[in-house]
Amino acid sequence: TAIATVSDDGGSSGRLTRDIPLLNLPPGDIRNCLVALADEEPMMTRLLQYRFDGDVGELSGHSIGNLLIAALTDITGDFEQAVRETSRVLAIRGRVLPPTLQHVELCARLVDGTMVRGETAITTSPQAIDYVFLDPPAPQAVPEALTAISECDIVVIGPGSTFTSVVPNLLVRGMSDALQNTHALRVFVCNVMTQPGETDGFTASDHVAAIEKHIGEPVFDYVLLNTRRPDREVLERYSA
């Protein structure tokens, strides 16, 4: 079971949630998890991740997968059902869940005391992040997500954007309690690199501390981190 954050307000996801009234949750992170778990032929995976670039009018920047989830939401009238139908199309191994079905906005308090609203504004702010929170606060959790955490053998958190992908899941009502009370092993997979505008200068322990600051107490049994320098080819892609 993959639990994917639903606080993205930028790019294709942000535009679709603004343009389609029924689509109150951004599909981008859900789509990425669906594709990662897909058991279909590679061409279907490439298709769902395909993004229109260049001068193609209103389609520019949209991914096929986001459009598919948006269309299925419009057809079924239900975002959760749309995700289930997309799962069937991709024949995924397992399931993908949003942590909440409520529309939420990610907000942040920066180290200088400034308050910022929206994931895009947070990641582009020149100031470091002190704390993030959801508006409305503590939205209702999807029950299946809480059950998955309580019944699984291992909870793997990350890798992902620390403040804008990992922490938002834990701000949903009941999620941090479920993580604290589960009998499963709790493993944090640290990012290979720091993220400009979000975790500049962070060590591995800084990532862990930032997450546990929002939970209120230590929760990880293990932290998995990379100790090798990435290959030149990988570094060149990041640089580009």
Side-chain angles (χ1 to χ4, degrees):
T1 301
I3 302 172
T5 186
V6 287
S7 55
D8 182 14
D9 67 345
S12 173
S13 289
R15 288 164 58 195
L16 288 171
T17 53
R18 288 188 291 271
D19 293 343
I20 301 175
L22 274 176
L23 189 71
N24 68 327
L25 296 174
D29 289 305
I30 295 283
R31 181 201 78 237
N32 282 331
C33 285
L34 287 167
V35 170
L37 293 170
D39 206 18
E40 263 295 345
E41 60 184 53
M43 185 54 73
M44 178 62 76
T45 300
R46 287 183 61 191
L47 173 64
L48 285 219
Q49 291 289 60
Y50 179 79
R51 190 178 297 274
F52 292 99
D53 292 321
D55 188 14
V56 288
E58 294 186 1
L59 281 175
S60 181
H62 280 306
S63 78
I64 293 290
N66 285 356
L67 294 172
L68 174 64
I69 295 172
L72 285 169
T73 301
D74 212 31
I75 291 168
T76 64
D78 182 79
F79 181 83
E80 205 172 5
Q81 182 62 29
V83 174
R84 283 195 290 268
E85 295 299 334
T86 308
S87 299
R88 291 193 185 98
V89 169
L90 288 170
I92 75 164
R93 300 184 299 275
R95 58 183 175 164
V96 178
L97 299 171
T100 180
L101 291 174
Q102 284 183 241
H103 175 74
V104 294
E105 186 174 27
L106 186 65
C107 307
R109 182 181 67 222
L110 307 181
V111 291
D112 66 352
T114 304
M115 297 294 183
V116 183
R117 301 181 69 88
E119 181 180 321
T120 303
I122 292 169
T123 56
T124 56
S125 171
Q127 287 288 331
I129 300 164
D130 178 41
Y131 201 83
V132 294
F133 57 96
L134 296 178
D135 185 20
Q140 189 68 44
V142 171
E144 292 89 344
L146 298 178
T147 301
I149 294 172
S150 66
E151 295 182 351
C152 67
D153 298 311
I154 181 170
V155 181
V156 180
I157 295 179
S161 300
T162 301
F163 290 103
T164 55
S165 291
V166 176
V167 169
N169 283 332
L170 304 174
L171 301 178
V172 173
R173 187 185 310 165
M175 293 291 279
S176 63
D177 288 340
L179 187 61
Q180 290 172 25
N181 296 326
T182 183
H183 295 293
L185 280 177
R186 299 160 301 183
V187 179
F188 175 59
V189 181
C190 197
N191 296 333
V192 174
M193 290 187 171
T194 54
Q195 184 173 352
E198 188 162 335
T199 54
D200 297 279
F202 269 38
T203 62
S205 59
D206 288 332
H207 284 85
V208 173
I211 294 167
E212 292 186 337
K213 177 179 180 178
H214 290 79
I215 298 173
E217 62 180 83
V219 292
F220 299 122
D221 299 301
Y222 295 96
V223 175
L224 183 66
L225 62 142
N226 173 63
T227 58
R228 295 180 58 190
R229 186 170 178 80
D231 295 335
R232 177 180 293 179
E233 179 189 349
V234 174
L235 290 172
E236 287 174 351
R237 287 209 305 272
Y238 270 91
S239 180

